[in-house]
Amino acid sequence: DSGVTQTPKHLITATGQRVTLRCSPRSGDLSVYWYQQSLDQGLQFLIQYYNGEERAKGNILERFSAQQFPDLHSELNLSSLELGDSALYFCASSVQGGTQYFGPGTRLLVL
Amino acid sequence: AQSVTQLDSQVPVFEEAPVELRCNYSSSVSVYLFWYVQYPNQGLQLLLKYLSGSTLVESINGFEAEFNKSQTSFHLRKPSVHISDTAEYFCAVSDDNTDKLIFGTGTRLQVFP
């Protein structure tokens, strides 16, 4: 157990819908990262937050957004969902610049 | 820009045989290197990491990797694999400029009895 929790574990929704994925980092970790794992793109970095502020952006679509709250948990919002958004979404946390520990992931299926 | 290459998408091996999973990286600055393992239907678990110091790093379950700066490699090795080592293995790189991890495409290790 990495200490990073993610909910929900599975999510099935329809095209055009909006979903929110939640992540709670390990105790004491200020950085939260979101990654997407898909068959065609592999593991890709989406976005990083540090202590509530956006720190870095990767290949994140404009339809996707994220935020980190004062209690340090983070949410990834995916809107206007398309079939191609079906993937495993991972959250990771770290002390600033340190080793990243991954949560179990949320498996999203868009039908 | 950083990149990671894992040349072998699949590595089949018999139980108790040695294995090497190859990883090469490209970066213009000092790097940090990681191996993560993903068991079927599970998340990513850190296997081992190189941050600085000794170029040979070991994990608690018998894997080791050696950082070779001249060859820009960080190959993962185990002298004798078990059935339970069957999983997908990902090599990743980051650096001081950015915390984000750049992952390779993964190598599926399949251990046969």
Side-chain angles (χ1 to χ4, degrees):
Chain A
D1 185 356
S2 67
V4 179
T5 60
Q6 289 186 249
T7 57
K9 192 172 181 179
H10 303 277
L11 201 48
I12 302 176
T13 188
T15 54
Q17 295 298 304
R18 171 189 169 95
V19 297
T20 297
L21 313 183
R22 183 188 169 103
C23 168
S24 292
R26 295 187 321 156
S27 177
D29 285 356
L30 299 179
S31 273
V32 169
Y33 311 77
W34 287 96
Y35 292 85
Q36 179 194 59
Q37 184 179 31
S38 62
L39 285 175
D40 54 344
Q41 304 271 16
L43 266 162
Q44 288 199 98
F45 167 74
L46 295 178
I47 197 165
Q48 178 199 0
Y49 277 81
Y50 175 76
N51 203 20
E53 294 193 5
E54 183 183 303
R55 175 64 66 92
K57 252 185 177 180
N59 297 322
I60 188 166
L61 300 171
E62 285 191 10
R63 301 183 284 108
F64 296 0
S65 64
Q67 54 185 326
Q68 187 179 25
F69 294 87
D71 67 352
L72 300 178
H73 90 270
S74 178
E75 292 181 356
L76 179 67
N77 301 296
L78 315 176
S79 61
S80 302
L81 285 167
E82 302 175 359
L83 296 178
D85 297 327
S86 295
L88 197 50
Y89 291 85
F90 286 110
C91 167
S93 76
S94 75
V95 175
Q96 180 187 2
T99 302
Q100 293 180 34
Y101 294 91
F102 283 74
T106 293
R107 188 173 296 276
L108 173 67
L109 180 59
V110 183
L111 299 175
Chain B
Q2 295 172 323
S3 66
V4 176
T5 302
Q6 291 182 251
L7 288 172
D8 306 305
S9 59
Q10 295 188 62
V11 173
V13 64
F14 286 110
E15 193 173 20
E16 297 183 4
V19 71
E20 177 180 83
L21 306 184
R22 296 180 292 169
C23 172
N24 287 88
Y25 68 92
S26 172
S27 177
S28 58
V29 297
S30 296
V31 298
Y32 307 127
L33 293 157
F34 306 83
W35 276 99
Y36 283 86
V37 58
Q38 186 176 30
Y39 297 102
N41 298 314
Q42 294 189 28
L44 292 163
Q45 298 176 32
L46 179 67
L47 190 58
L48 46 75
K49 60 187 177 185
Y50 170 78
L51 303 180
S52 64
S54 172
T55 58
L56 184 65
V57 290
E58 298 177 352
S59 72
I60 57 173
N61 55 356
F63 283 94
E64 64 178 31
E66 186 162 18
F67 170 57
N68 189 319
K69 189 174 181 180
S70 63
Q71 296 187 7
T72 60
S73 68
F74 191 55
H75 301 330
L76 182 69
R77 301 183 182 96
K78 189 170 185 179
S80 176
V81 294
H82 303 287
I83 295 286
S84 59
D85 292 325
T86 294
E88 185 108 23
Y89 291 79
F90 292 93
C91 183
V93 63
S94 70
D95 61 39
D96 278 335
N97 295 330
T98 173
D99 294 339
K100 70 179 182 182
L101 289 171
I102 305 296
F103 285 92
T105 50
T107 297
R108 184 171 299 277
L109 176 64
Q110 181 75 52
V111 182
F112 294 93

